[in-house]
């Protein structure tokens, strides 16, 4: 098992290379970009690069790439970036929905039954407190699903696993972008 | 008889996944920046989820802000960019 710092360094390098490759391809595509276009090129390349470090092994990375490719103008650009290596997989709609609905209805029956038993043991106030806590968790899970690409169709455990990976990747992205920005500031100062 | 056995098996599998979830949620807490985990040991699942959402939103905002900043900085000549990139790749 690689040491923690070793892992993130190679990840950062991989991201940086892919990101710069993307920016170069984009600049060949669109010469003379204005400041907004350049921002879009930088951001798009960064997102594609960080997603590609996962090699399609996580849902969030596949969804992110697929979402970017949905746009017609981006599609050509994305195809150029991935021309030599990976394939852009179309993210299949989740087949988990039907199964999770069946499980959900079973859970609802079981939950109402268990709640009655608990009310007899714990007393009504404790039960209410528990249900409020559960509602909070449910609402916040919903928000989390909207923040992680492809999160809407994930079950609880997958969602947390994907979130862990997503956050680590976002941190790599921010870290490298920050360093590039400060290096750019330093170099313009010395010019 | 068999129903009791299958019920306890169900309870056990839900216990296993509850342990799994608790372990994953604590991993989530470990990822949060220290500023957000002031009450470290006492964080509830709901709180951890909330702070995770805030953290992700902040990271998104940072990426966007950095893209804007870089767009301004990289406006200058290509040679400056090339030198910059070269120096970074050497790290």
């Amino acid at each position: 098992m690689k040491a923690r710092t070793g892992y993130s360094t190679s990840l950062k390098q991989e991201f940086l290379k892919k990101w710069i490759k993307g920016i170069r391809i984009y600049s060949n595509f669109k010469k003379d970009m204005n400041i907004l276009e350049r921002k879009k090129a930088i951001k798009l390349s960064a997102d594609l690069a960080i997603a590609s470090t996962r090699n399609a092994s996580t849902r969030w990375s596949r969804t992110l790439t697929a979402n970017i490719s949905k746009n017609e103008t981006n599609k050509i650009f994305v195809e150029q970036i991935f021309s030599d290596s990976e394939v852009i997989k179309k993210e299949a709609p989740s087949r988990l929905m039907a199964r999770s609905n069946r499980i959900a209805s079973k859970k609802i029956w079981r939950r109402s039954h268990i709640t009655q038993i608990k009310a007899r043991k714990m007393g009504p106030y404790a039960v209410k407190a528990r249900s409020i806590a559960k509602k909070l968790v449910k609402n916040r899970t919903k928000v989390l699903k909207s923040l992680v690409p492809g999160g809407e169709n994930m079950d609880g455990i997958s969602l947390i696993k994907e979130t862990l990976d997503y956050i680590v990747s976002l941190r790599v992205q921010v870290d490298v972008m920050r360093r590039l920005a400060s290096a750019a500031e330093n170099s313009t100062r010395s010019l | 008889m068999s129903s009791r056995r299958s019920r306890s098996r169900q309870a056990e599998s839900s216990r296993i996944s509850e342990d799994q979830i608790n372990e994953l949620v604590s991993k989530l807490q470990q990822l949060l920046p220290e500023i957000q985990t002031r009450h470290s040991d006492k964080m509830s699942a709901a709180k951890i989820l909330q702070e995770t959402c805030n953290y992700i939103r902040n990271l998104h905002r940072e990426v966007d802000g950095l893209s804007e900043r870089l767009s301004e900085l990289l406006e200058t000549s290509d040679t400056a960019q090339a030198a910059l990139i070269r120096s970074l790749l050497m790290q």
Side-chain angles (χ1 to χ4, degrees):
Chain A
M1 198 161 36
K2 285 188 191 167
R4 224 150 154 243
T5 43
Y7 168 71
S8 62
T9 307
S10 64
L11 188 57
K12 287 177 187 174
Q13 283 173 351
E14 187 189 344
F15 165 69
L16 179 61
K17 280 188 200 154
K18 290 182 170 176
W19 181 32
I20 289 176
K21 178 184 174 194
I23 295 178
R24 284 218 180 102
I25 292 178
Y26 206 105
S27 328
N28 290 336
F29 229 52
K30 282 191 168 167
K31 320 265 180 178
D32 301 321
M33 293 186 269
N34 62 24
I35 200 165
L36 281 171
E37 287 257 275
R38 208 168 22 242
K39 176 189 172 180
K40 182 186 169 196
I42 289 171
K43 182 151 189 233
L44 215 62
S45 307
D47 286 344
L48 281 171
I50 196 66
S52 124
T53 63
R54 262 45 214 114
N55 289 320
S57 64
T58 56
R59 178 83 82 85
W60 73 260
S61 59
R62 294 194 299 265
T63 309
L64 183 55
T65 310
N67 286 345
I68 290 175
S69 313
K70 271 189 207 157
N71 181 310
E72 274 311 309
T73 34
N74 294 339
K75 216 173 171 186
I76 315 162
F77 163 57
V78 174
E79 278 164 14
Q80 278 225 348
I81 293 190
F82 289 115
S83 59
D84 52 352
S85 47
E86 305 132 70
V87 180
I88 309 167
K89 292 188 193 158
K90 242 189 181 169
E91 187 58 15
S94 178
R95 257 166 262 138
L96 292 168
M97 286 304 278
R99 182 166 171 261
S100 62
N101 282 339
R102 258 182 282 137
I103 297 177
S105 47
K106 268 196 202 162
K107 280 188 175 167
I108 291 171
W109 178 90
R110 208 193 300 160
R111 223 178 276 151
S112 63
H113 192 64
I114 290 176
T115 312
Q116 290 170 41
I117 299 173
K118 280 190 179 159
R120 265 177 255 147
K121 284 190 181 172
M122 286 164 40
Y125 291 113
V127 173
K128 190 72 199 266
R130 271 267 197 109
S131 72
I132 291 175
K134 280 190 182 168
K135 257 195 208 145
L136 269 175
V137 169
K138 192 175 174 198
N139 287 340
R140 277 150 197 190
T141 304
K142 206 169 160 200
V143 174
L144 183 60
K145 284 185 175 188
S146 70
L147 287 171
V148 175
E152 301 83 16
N153 298 326
M154 293 182 206
D155 66 80
I157 292 181
S158 307
L159 177 64
I160 300 179
K161 284 184 181 169
E162 288 272 334
T163 303
L164 288 166
D165 192 79
Y166 185 49
I167 288 183
V168 168
S169 304
L170 279 174
R171 275 151 70 135
V172 165
Q173 193 183 28
V174 165
D175 198 61
V176 174
M177 288 177 88
R178 244 191 236 151
R179 278 201 269 147
L180 184 61
S182 55
E185 277 175 350
N186 290 337
S187 73
T188 49
R189 239 177 265 146
S190 60
L191 280 172
Chain B
M1 278 295 183
S2 58
S3 60
R4 203 183 299 158
R5 233 178 283 145
S6 63
R7 237 181 286 145
S8 68
R9 223 176 286 143
Q10 275 177 337
E12 193 178 323
S13 69
S14 65
R15 223 182 301 136
I16 291 174
S17 49
E18 207 185 308
D19 287 338
Q20 236 189 322
I21 291 185
N22 287 337
E23 194 192 325
L24 287 170
V25 171
S26 76
K27 280 191 184 164
L28 218 45
Q29 187 185 354
Q30 286 168 43
L31 274 184
L32 295 174
E34 274 195 27
I35 282 185
Q36 293 176 262
T37 57
R38 264 162 293 163
H39 315 287
S40 27
D41 300 322
K42 296 186 248 167
M43 283 185 90
S44 66
K47 186 75 182 167
I48 292 175
L49 283 172
Q50 183 188 30
E51 294 299 333
T52 301
C53 291
N54 290 339
Y55 189 32
I56 293 180
R57 270 188 282 244
N58 286 339
L59 288 168
H60 285 168
R61 245 176 272 147
E62 266 209 84
V63 169
D64 197 76
L66 284 164
S67 301
E68 215 170 282
R69 195 163 136 210
L70 282 165
S71 172
E72 294 162 12
L73 289 166
L74 297 179
E75 204 171 2
T76 48
S77 72
D78 289 56
T79 48
Q81 291 176 49
L84 162 75
I85 289 166
R86 237 179 289 130
S87 66
L88 272 160
L89 281 171
M90 278 195 276
Q91 273 177 2

